[in-house]
Amino acid sequence: TLNSLLVEMDGFDGQAGVIVIAATNRADVLDAALLRPGRFDRQVFVDLPDLRGREAVLTVHAKRFQMAPSVDLQRIARITTGMSGADLANLLNEAALHAGRRNRDKVEMCDVEEARDKIAHGRERRKGADQEDLRKTAYHEAGHAIIGRLVPEHDPVHKVTIIPRGRALGVTQYLPEEDR
């Protein structure tokens, strides 16, 4: 389809009155032939949603699922800084899958938390960490949590885990008061 599109675009003249609109959230993987001068004269970049935008996107996507009263979309918006609309839709899809695996009728906040951890840090690794590694990781993450608590300007600690995920042995997550 890319070659067909390029051939058609090469056949346009400046007066044809044809407008081609395209969108992607992965411009880094586009074929260089699409990006040559003259192909697309204007590029409009859309920033990632801010806190209010993320909450609005979550509200739209949450309508597709049965949500438990524990699900707080504003809190989810706070812990998803840097996520696009597509990322937020994926987050709720993953949360619904997690709830389904647990035989729940509704998506709970713990399902959303699990989905966020999976998306942000990778799948949970069951093997690899012995008790000594877990102990060292606990001390390390506790250090992050203590400093986060003692520094007045720091965002509050949201979650501390020593469950290995992806390449991380543990993670300390913060709950931003506002987007930065």
Side-chain angles (χ1 to χ4, degrees), residues 1 24 29 32 44 54 56 67 76 127 130 139 141 160 167:
T1 58
T24 183
V29 297
V44 178
R54 287 191 306 277
M67 298 296 210
I76 296 168
K127 298 185 232 172
D130 62 15
Y139 280 118
E141 296 306 330
V160 179
R167 296 180 60 197

Side-chain angles (χ1 to χ4, degrees), residues 3-150:
N3 286 335
S4 298
L5 178 64
L6 292 172
V7 168
E8 291 295 326
M9 288 174 71
D10 284 339
F12 295 157
D13 64 39
Q15 304 302 316
V18 175
I19 298 174
V20 177
I21 299 175
T24 183
N25 59 353
R26 293 292 316 271
D28 57 314
V29 297
L30 290 177
D31 190 294
L34 266 178
L35 303 176
R36 281 202 307 257
R39 295 273 191 216
F40 291 95
D41 294 333
R42 303 282 183 271
Q43 290 186 12
V44 178
F45 295 94
V46 179
D47 289 332
L48 293 172
D50 62 3
L51 179 63
R52 284 185 29 210
R54 287 191 306 277
E55 188 174 357
V57 169
L58 287 163
T59 300
V60 168
H61 290 293
K63 290 177 183 176
R64 297 179 25 223
F65 305 104
Q66 291 288 321
M67 298 296 210
S70 67
V71 175
D72 181 350
L73 297 180
Q74 184 179 37
R75 187 171 182 88
I76 296 168
R78 287 178 58 199
I79 63 172
T80 54
T81 302
M83 284 193 172
S84 68
D87 294 332
L88 295 169
N90 183 46
L91 173 75
L92 293 181
N93 286 337
E94 284 290 332
L97 289 171
H98 189 266
R101 284 187 212 106
R102 302 293 182 273
N103 295 317
R104 286 198 275 273
D105 296 348
K106 296 182 178 184
V107 175
E108 301 275 349
M109 191 66 179
C110 62
D111 299 315
V112 177
E113 290 275 357
E114 178 65 26
R116 184 198 173 276
D117 289 350
K118 179 180 174 187
I119 291 168
H121 308 294
R123 292 187 182 276
E124 188 176 314
R125 287 186 288 139
R126 297 280 182 194
K127 298 185 232 172
D130 62 15
Q131 288 302 310
E132 183 61 20
D133 287 340
L134 291 174
R135 189 174 74 75
K136 289 177 184 175
T137 301
Y139 280 118
H140 178 91
E141 296 306 330
H144 287 296
I146 291 168
I147 295 302
R149 181 76 172 109
L150 294 176

